Amino acid sequence: MRKVKGFFKKYRGMMPVFFLMLLSPALMATLQKTKDAYGLTHEIDTGKKVYQERCLICHGVEGNGKGPVDVVRRAEKTGRIIEIYSRDFTVGVFKFRSTPTGCLPTDDDILGTIADGIERSFMPSHKEVLSSEEREAVKEYIKAFSFRWEEEDPCDAITVKKPEGVDSPAFAEKGKMVYKEMKCWECHGYQGVGDGPKADDLKDDWGKQIRPFDFTTGALKRGSSPENVYITFTTGLDGTGMPAYEDSPSEEDRWHLVAYTLKLMKLKGRAE
């Protein structure tokens, strides 16, 4: 007993240090949780603020695509009227992805769409008006609208490696054959102008009528670099009638198809 008392008497001045040493793991864990909670709360608040200021008008308060401006109409040179509907984030189905059909997009896919916008769709670029922190925050806010982000594992992005010769007439000529064999003409027409025999019957997953792309009008919404066209053919456009061709035709023939459609778009050799 004397030894115990002697120990406390001898090291009495060190007791606060011993106490902090015992407490520090729990203290650090609490501080980290507080920091994490603050960081998460700050990100959610920032994402909500950005969404309300820049996204709500089209995508709606609940992210279901029913904002005050939920559909816009665009006239093409041919006189065809295209109706463009705002994305419904609640179902977690995205057209523009680097992942296989049926998969969620990667974070980079979403950030790319936010930053670059979607050509020909009235979805503007936010690269110059939002900071990287704000784009990250609104990306997380958008993901919160759908249960899929909590219940599904992410898919890997598809690797894209452009072969030499995509700009060559030989590639385009082979692509013309693939276009015919894969029956692309049934929707897009024999000349690629979107007037195929099935063109008037296409509907998206929400039952809204959609029009097949007229290649002769120029760039795709996703962008028309060879790589972007290839990934569109490979992943498909989920929620629409455009299927994925990851399994068929072969990778080589998909690049042939890229060459032919770029020729139809008169974008052969265009740099982006």
Side-chain angles (χ1 to χ4, degrees), residues 97-112:
R97 315 168 323 281
S98 62
T99 53
T101 183
C103 290
L104 290 165
T106 66
D107 281 5
D108 284 344
D109 290 332
I110 300 175
L111 287 171

Side-chain angles (χ1 to χ4, degrees), residues 36-50:
D36 291 345
Y38 172 77
L40 181 60
T41 301
H42 175 68
E43 185 174 60
I44 291 173
D45 288 345
T46 300
K48 182 177 182 180
K49 180 175 182 292
V50 172

Side-chain angles (χ1 to χ4, degrees), residues 57-235:
I57 188 170
C58 293
H59 298 285
V61 175
E62 299 177 1
N64 57 6
K66 298 186 183 299
V69 185
D70 58 345
V71 59
V72 292
R73 294 171 178 82
R74 178 173 58 81
E76 296 185 335
K77 292 180 180 179
T78 60
R80 191 173 70 159
I81 304 297
I82 302 295
E83 291 188 331
I84 302 168
Y85 298 93
S86 301
R87 178 61 36 190
D88 178 355
F89 296 129
T90 64
V91 295
V93 175
F94 292 78
K95 291 192 290 186
F96 306 118
R97 315 168 323 281
S98 62
T99 53
T101 183
C103 290
L104 290 165
T106 66
D107 281 5
D108 284 344
D109 290 332
I110 300 175
L111 287 171
T113 299
I114 294 169
D116 300 330
I118 301 176
E119 196 167 355
R120 305 161 65 113
S121 75
F122 299 93
M123 167 64 186
S125 166
H126 293 85
K127 189 176 295 183
E128 303 299 328
V129 296
L130 294 179
S131 67
S132 58
E133 179 188 29
E134 289 172 322
R135 295 197 296 269
E136 180 71 28
V138 77
K139 178 258 296 179
E140 290 300 317
Y141 190 78
I142 288 168
K143 288 167 62 176
F145 283 121
S146 175
F147 67 91
R148 291 189 64 191
W149 303 99
E150 295 292 333
E151 298 184 358
E152 298 181 26
D153 294 327
C155 298
D156 293 330
I158 294 171
T159 301
V160 180
K161 186 177 180 181
K162 186 181 75 170
E164 295 183 5
V166 174
D167 289 340
S168 70
F171 256 68
E173 191 60 32
K174 289 179 180 178
K176 186 176 182 179
M177 296 298 295
V178 176
Y179 185 90
K180 182 178 180 181
E181 291 168 1
M182 296 303 297
K183 297 185 177 181
C184 303
W185 53 268
E186 287 188 339
C187 295
H188 297 283
Y190 289 104
Q191 305 302 319
V193 297
D195 62 348
K198 293 184 177 180
D200 294 332
D201 301 325
L202 296 178
K203 292 184 178 180
D204 64 15
D205 286 359
W206 293 266
K208 298 168 183 173
Q209 186 176 23
I210 52 177
R211 305 292 300 180
F213 185 65
D214 176 354
F215 290 105
T216 66
T217 61
L220 297 175
K221 288 181 181 178
R222 181 181 203 132
S224 296
S225 68
E227 292 84 356
N228 279 334
V229 179
Y230 174 84
I231 202 69
T232 297
F233 291 153
T234 303
T235 66

Side-chain angles (χ1 to χ4, degrees), residues 251-265:
E251 180 178 354
E252 183 180 19
D253 277 343
R254 272 175 273 152
W255 282 112
H256 292 149
L257 191 58
V258 168
Y260 179 62
T261 51
L262 285 175
K263 180 180 178 181
L264 290 174
M265 288 185 270

